[in-house]
Amino acid sequence: MRHVLVIGAGPAGLAAALAASDAGASVTLLDAGDGLGGQYWRHLPPQRPSRRESRLHHGWAAFERLQGRIGRADAIEVLTEAQVWAIETADAVTAQVLLGPTDAAGREARALTADAIVLAPGAHDRTLPFPGWHLPGVFSAGAAQALAKGERIAVGRRAVVAGAGPFLLPVAQSLTAAGATVLGVFEAARPRALARGWLPKPWKLLGTAHKGRELAGYLAHHLAHRVPYRPGRAVVEARGDGRVEEVVIARLDADWAPVPGTERTLAADAVCVSHGFTPRLELPIAAGCEIGPDRFVRVDPDQRTSVEGVYAAGEITGIGGVDAALVEGRIAGHRAAGGDRSAMGSAPRRARAAAELTRRIEAAHGIRPGWTSWLRDDTVVCRCEEVPYGRLRAVAAATEQRSLRSVKLTTRAGLGICQARMCGRTVESLIGADPSSGADTSDRRPLAAPVRLGDLAGLPTAPDGA
Ligand SMILES: Cc1cc2nc3c(=O)[nH]c(=O)nc-3n(C[C@H](O)[C@H](O)[C@H](O)COP(=O)(O)OP(=O)(O)OC[C@H]3O[C@@H](n4cnc5c(N)ncnc54)[C@H](O)[C@@H]3O)c2cc1C
């Protein structure tokens, strides 16, 4: 019997595990979190259940079905609180895993190999910097969403949601459901860009028609809660004495440069910002998978990466939302288990429809270069190491360097605790780095998560001569 290891138990990983087991493989499904569901189905902890939880999620019935079937499948072993901290490729592709609560001492170390691996670690949200974004009260929209969905906590009482992309809509909904007043959703893309991205060839979106119903649900919710949606606008500054007290909103031109004279100020105690998502590439890079020029893992129609036996699904192959993650996971799991292509039913067609959504999101909401004009020299870019924009510019100019590595070592940008997850892509674009070679990229992290030195010291060592 083939053994398939699935890393990540979000929509992509859940679908992969089930498809692999359906195709006759034994499966190990693991996730660093303490439950299944990933970001989309991030739910309340079992200690604090809610009878109305299904109302907090889209597609909750689908999640319950997946979770139920996985729970009943004898051939699927589920490991939660299982952090893959490294991937090694010496003989076979091996996942180094620490089992136990995050940050706990003495976690159990395991090295897992399998006939095939499905990588489904998802993405984290991307936030462009602006003056004052380091103030308490400014959150990534993903963090605000995680707290609202996973803890029913609203990050503020008067919140502004800003950035770019359809993700802003569920964030605003979750915040109001958690008790906040949302003063507005400020989408950087202008109406013309939204129309250019979403309206042409509408028949190509027919395969994702249910997304229209989801959108209508958000709009109805926002109307009921009087949440205005303002395209072509951005938060260009957050101000306050020790924490956010007000934000400056400006109208943007087509390149996202603020239009002078359009600034207005809103009193707010929370700002939730997201300009899209960055795929978590450390595991695929460590496994040796080819990354495309669009900075996603390159896969073929079977979700096969460039490395034999390694498949990829979900947000690491493109930002297409839950449907893309589910269908890609299904294909990856089925093929990783050795399942026949002809037995995949409608999955390939649905994958193509989901890929269309990915393209539309980028076309309508993709980051435009003019945003850098809302930065000032003292705007912090790397929050961990407190590196301001002026310092990055000065170093890049003085050394005539476009090398990320050189700028990192000189300024320490990206070397702090988040290891460039927040600022890496921003620093790359500000210094004009060229990450296409793959060598000089902020996505390479040999340790995928912080590991205690004691845990490292406790790892079994290879026998002499091995
Ligand atoms: C913070 C956040 C909140 C989101 N909320 C929504 C929302 O409310 N609505 C919406 O439409 N879309 C939301 N999205 C987008 C959403 O992530 C996708 O549409 C969908 O969940 C992608 O599925 P996935 O399986 O690819 O990844 P995910 O759902 O992100 O699942 C990936 C899983 O992999 C695990 N993992 C990652 N690295 C490791 C590792 N090294 N070791 C072990 N496990 C690992 C993670 O713990 C996670 O559970 C959110 C995204 C983020 C980043």
Side-chain angles (χ1 to χ4, degrees), residues 7 84-87 119-124 277-299 305 310-319 419-421 425 428 435-436 438 440-449:
I7 300 176
V84 179
W85 61 273
I87 295 259
L119 298 173
H124 52 83
F277 293 96
T278 309
R280 293 185 182 199
L281 293 180
E282 44 276 269
L283 298 183
I285 287 178
C289 302
E290 190 181 336
I291 309 298
D294 53 359
R295 311 284 296 276
F296 291 100
V297 179
R298 190 168 262 178
V299 286
T305 71
V310 179
Y311 295 73
E315 307 275 71
I316 57 167
T317 69
I319 303 301
Q419 289 288 287
R421 284 179 177 83
R425 298 271 170 117
E428 284 175 10
S436 62
D440 204 22
T441 158
S442 58
D443 298 320
R444 185 180 297 278
R445 295 179 196 95
L447 297 194

Side-chain angles (χ1 to χ4, degrees), residues 7-14 30-33 35-42 58 82-85 120-125 140-143 145-146 149 167 170-171 174 211 214 218 277 280 282-283 313-316 320-323 325-326 448-449:
I7 300 176
L14 293 175
L30 61 78
D31 199 289
L36 305 183
Q39 302 289 4
Y40 189 74
W41 288 311
R42 182 186 281 272
H58 285 278
Q83 174 75 57
V84 179
W85 61 273
H124 52 83
D125 53 348
S140 76
Q145 176 77 336
K149 274 165 80 168
F167 180 49
V171 174
S174 301
K211 282 285 166 197
E214 194 174 318
Y218 293 134
F277 293 96
R280 293 185 182 199
E282 44 276 269
L283 298 183
E315 307 275 71
I316 57 167
V322 65
D323 294 335
L326 283 168

